[in-house]
Amino acid sequence: MTKILAFGASNSSDSINKQLAKYASGLINNATVELLDLNDYEMPIYSKDREKKDGIPQLAHDFYNKIGGSDLVLISFAENNRSYTTAFKNILDWMSRINGKTFQEKPMLLLATSPGARGGGSVLETALKRMPFQGGVVKGSFSLPSFNENFDTEKGIISNKELNEQLVNIIHSIEL
Ligand SMILES: Cc1cc2nc3c(=O)[nH]c(=O)nc-3n(C[C@H](O)[C@H](O)[C@H](O)COP(=O)(O)O)c2cc1C
């Protein structure tokens, strides 16, 4: 069984990226899924001074260890001002102080969605460029545009057949 660690890179309680991460991870065969909520990993904003004074928070170690214990990291990125959310970036910054290769050579599937037509394309681009330098082995990526038109939140599935097929094909092409 493949152990998937999945999360929406957002702290919204009704995160559309958490919904997409949940749906996508459910498409992977022979897998167990742990879906994290970033709200459970809220820490003080990273600062060198805080690190010097108090060290790295236990929650950063906990998240880092979750990555270490997984076989695939699936992230769906929320886009704020074309970039990562503060909630995700803060966790990333703290974890990067444990190990710059934060993703520990784990295979990764990178997704993004937003209500807009670009579907979080900018933050996804940023992540795709960055993850290889941060110890992530990117196996595939997918952006879901116009979330409200293309995702059925009641059923928790992508309602647009073509886009759903694209995601299914990407997932089936991943060799773990
Ligand atoms: C401060 C802020 C900045 C945003 N910037 C962008 C953006 O640059 N591009 C975009 O597509 N959506 C942007 N949005 C809209 C988000 O994509 C939308 O709120 C989405 O639901 C966030 O994902 P989440 O539900 O997983 O938290 C922004 C929203 C906020 C609150």
Side-chain angles (χ1 to χ4, degrees), residues 7-154:
F7 58 92
S10 157
N11 60 0
S12 312
S13 58
D14 59 351
S15 167
I16 61 178
N17 284 281
K18 191 172 185 179
Q19 294 174 63
L20 180 60
K22 187 178 176 188
Y23 172 61
S25 52
L27 294 173
I28 301 171
N29 292 327
N30 300 317
T32 59
V33 181
E34 184 172 11
L35 190 64
L36 297 186
D37 185 331
L38 296 199
N39 288 299
D40 295 331
Y41 295 88
E42 189 162 315
M43 293 172 264
I45 294 174
Y46 176 80
S47 84
K48 283 200 293 187
D49 304 302
R50 283 201 177 105
E51 183 182 353
K52 206 168 167 189
K53 185 168 163 281
D54 299 325
I56 297 169
Q58 184 56 44
L59 286 174
H61 287 281
D62 293 348
F63 205 114
Y64 178 82
N65 291 335
K66 293 267 181 204
I67 294 169
S70 72
D71 302 314
L72 175 76
V73 180
L74 188 158
I75 307 175
S76 187
F77 290 94
E79 183 169 296
N80 277 5
N81 297 309
R82 298 282 188 265
S83 191
Y84 298 135
T85 63
T86 305
F88 173 74
K89 186 63 164 49
N90 195 42
I91 296 169
L92 183 64
D93 285 349
W94 277 116
M95 288 196 299
S96 71
R97 301 298 294 150
I98 301 169
N99 181 359
K101 302 279 183 196
T102 313
F103 292 96
Q104 304 165 61
E105 306 307 326
K106 298 294 176 182
M108 298 184 89
L109 179 58
L110 305 183
L111 314 178
T113 190
S114 84
R118 295 196 67 248
S122 296
V123 68
L124 188 58
E125 222 172 89
T126 300
L128 281 168
K129 277 195 204 134
R130 179 63 194 154
M131 289 307 165
F133 297 98
Q134 206 134 20
V137 182
V138 179
K139 294 285 186 179
S141 69
F142 172 79
S143 154
L144 180 69
S146 308
F147 179 87
N148 298 322
E149 284 89 76
N150 292 320
F151 196 93
D152 183 332
T153 47
E154 273 176 27

